[in-house]
């Protein structure tokens, strides 16, 4: 079984982020990390591998040179190898352009299952998994709180507010997982050391036979800074009085 995990390199802290002249997020010079939601996807792939003997896990990302750090972390967490799509023409790519590139990579690698985090911490669109599945012409199951991989199908459990509901799809398929699927296991020292010997393939758009991804169909005309947060109000009253004041505040501002 070939499992491809789509991962993303995101800023460690979003506070204080600015936008460039082209209205894209200015990431240069800021520390980054593997998107937290994607750690769950890598961990779920590893859990599948521990129950089977024929699993190959490949981590895939696209982004600038710094994005290689996300792949290195994915390799430490259990991926067997990785692919980094590195090309200056990818700057400013929207969700659809990103999905087109990732789908091309996945199709070239070959796959039985594609796993993704439910959303990235910097964009949060949650759209890429479904777009990738559409481009690959395979089923998609999103927001999995529970994952089971059978011989020829994948099953997920998702809490839609009315309890855990079960959904299934035939393989090959794309699945996005949430943090409720289980805490990722901590990597061992051996896994950390072994990761240095795993291969990371670097491909350009030319290597993939893509003439140019471009920013995509999305056009950003303007951006505005988020208003500064108000100073918190600390209630030092007795619990009963504090509760009354909170209730009054919620009522006045129509939260109740």
């Amino acid at each position: 079984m070939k499992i491809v995990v789509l991962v993303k390199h995101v800023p460690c802290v979003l506070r204080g982020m600015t936008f460039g002249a082209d209205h894209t997020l200015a990431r240069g010079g800021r520390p980054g990390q593997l998107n937290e939601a994607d750690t769950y996807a890598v961990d779920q792939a590893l859990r599948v591998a521990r129950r089977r003997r024929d699993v190959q896990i490949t981590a895939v990302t696209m982004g600038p040179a710094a994005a290689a750090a996300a792949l290195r972390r994915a390799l430490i967490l259990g991926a067997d190898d990785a692919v980094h799509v590195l090309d200056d023409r990818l700057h400013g790519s929207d969700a659809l352009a990103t999905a087109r590139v990732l789908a091309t990579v996945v199709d070239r690698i070959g796959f039985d299952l594609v796993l993704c985090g439910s959303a990235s911490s910097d964009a949060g669109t949650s759209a890429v998994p479904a777009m990738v599945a559409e481009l690959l012409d395979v089923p998609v199951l999103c927001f999995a709180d529970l994952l089971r991989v059978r011989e020829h199908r994948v099953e997920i459990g998702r809490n839609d507010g009315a309890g855990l509901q079960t959904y299934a799809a035939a393989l090959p398929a794309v699945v996005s997982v949430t943090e409720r699927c289980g805490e990722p296991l901590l990597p061992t020292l051996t896994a950390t050391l072994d990761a240095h010997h795993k291969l990371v393939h670097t491909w350009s758009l030319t290597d993939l036979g893509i003439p140019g991804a471009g920013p995509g169909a999305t056009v950003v005309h303007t951006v505005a800074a988020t208003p500064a947060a108000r100073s918190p109000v600390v209630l030092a009253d007795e619990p009963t009085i504090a509760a009354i004041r909170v209730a009054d505040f919620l009522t006045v501002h129509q939260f109740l």
Side-chain angles (χ1 to χ4, degrees), residues 6 13 24 46 56 69 80 106 117 126 134 143 163-164 166 177-178 183 205 221 226-227 230 237 239:
L6 305 181
V13 180
T24 60
L46 185 59
Q56 174 77 16
D80 297 302
V106 171
S126 300
E134 177 71 16
F143 304 107
L164 197 66
T166 300
V177 301
T178 72
E183 281 297 317
L205 292 179
H221 294 286
T226 303
R230 295 181 179 180
D237 304 293

Side-chain angles (χ1 to χ4, degrees), residues 64-77:
L71 291 178
R72 287 193 292 270
R73 183 61 183 171
L75 293 173
I76 290 173
L77 292 175

